[in-house]
Amino acid sequence: MRINRFAKSIVGAERIKVRGIATDGAGALVIDAEPYRARSCRCGKCGREAPRYDAGRGVRLWRCCDVGGMKAYVRSEAFRVSCPECGIAAREVPWAAHGSRLSCAFEDTCCWCALSMSKVACQKLMRVSWRTVGSICSRVEARLSEARPPVPGGLVRIGVDETSYRKGCKYMAVIVNHDTGAVVWCHDGHGKEVFGEFLSGLTEEQRASIGLVSADGARWVDEATAEWLPGAAVFSSLEIAPRGCGGKVGPFPTLQVPGSDGTAPGSCSPDRS
């Protein structure tokens, strides 16, 4: 049982049957595994259950994360199925994306290395070419985008800021919900276009519920708010995206509705009465 748990941790999938572990002639670790019967004959593109079509390319190897300096692979059949929706396609395996010869755990690790270290260090550690790293990052981004939850409703007070990462002035825009302290959206880049992309993805009801936008005084926040949220107030007296984006921000001072006391639209001031 301990060997099975160890093998599953290497493969990066729990719902599999481990049939054996061995080493090949090159000194690499090879794990023979199969999906559970309920998921053993499904389309690799849509995940729908489909009948077997042919043997495809036979037995295939998928690269896993290295173990003790040894390369590791998971070995299984790669037969094809006849999907009524997608046509003839390779079957689904729980440890890798369709069309990839690398496990999801390996791709996630490689993507993290590409963001956390230099190009040469990433290539040497993962033992892959830089072109392969680029393809891996594209697949990981697509997988995360599909799994990204929708923007929750009920946004009333939001904060907008940008945070820099790595060298070369690379920025990422961050949107937080002040009432819950949670990050609701983030995107690479910053500026009016990026903030507008977030607002354009909201429904009219979601935009209408937003009554306050806090920022650090950036002009593009005021411009985007005036365009997309004409009824919202802008509060720009504090930084709303601290390092790590953790913790709830507030409470805010009592604010007067812009225009009700002679202030210019698109700004707000504390109620000192």
Side-chain angles (χ1 to χ4, degrees), residues 71-138:
K71 286 186 176 182
Y73 298 89
V74 55
R75 180 167 56 192
S76 183
E77 288 186 85
F79 60 81
R80 299 192 298 174
V81 298
S82 178
C83 177
E85 181 70 22
C86 307
I88 308 302
R91 74 156 173 170
E92 179 189 65
V93 291
W95 54 79
H98 178 73
S100 175
R101 301 294 295 269
L102 308 169
S103 70
C104 292
F106 182 90
E107 291 185 342
D108 292 344
T109 304
C110 187
C111 188
W112 179 86
C113 291
L115 295 173
S116 305
M117 59 185 64
S118 67
K119 173 180 177 180
V120 176
C122 178
Q123 292 181 89
K124 289 185 177 181
L125 179 63
M126 304 306 295
R127 292 192 273 191
V128 294
S129 67
W130 188 246
R131 178 176 297 180
T132 303
V133 174
S135 301
I136 289 172
C137 291
S138 298

Side-chain angles (χ1 to χ4, degrees), residues 145-222:
S145 298
E146 292 178 359
R148 181 182 298 170
V151 177
L155 296 176
V156 178
R157 301 188 301 176
I158 65 172
V160 185
D161 200 6
E162 72 276 353
T163 180
S164 60
Y165 65 97
R166 301 188 67 179
K167 296 181 180 179
C169 296
K170 296 183 180 295
Y171 290 94
M172 176 171 52
V174 182
I175 313 294
V176 299
N177 184 352
H178 285 316
D179 295 309
T180 63
V183 175
V184 296
W185 193 82
C186 57
H187 196 281
D188 58 324
H190 69 291
K192 180 180 177 181
E193 293 77 12
V194 176
F195 188 28
E197 182 177 347
F198 165 73
L199 296 175
S200 64
L202 301 178
T203 63
E204 293 184 4
E205 291 76 10
Q206 289 176 319
R207 289 196 295 267
S209 67
I210 298 176
L212 184 141
V213 178
S214 66
D216 57 358
R219 182 177 300 175
W220 55 267
V221 176
D222 298 338

Side-chain angles (χ1 to χ4, degrees), residues 244-261:
C245 299
K248 186 181 295 186
V249 181
F252 290 98
T254 303
L255 301 176
Q256 295 180 345
V257 179
S260 61
D261 62 344

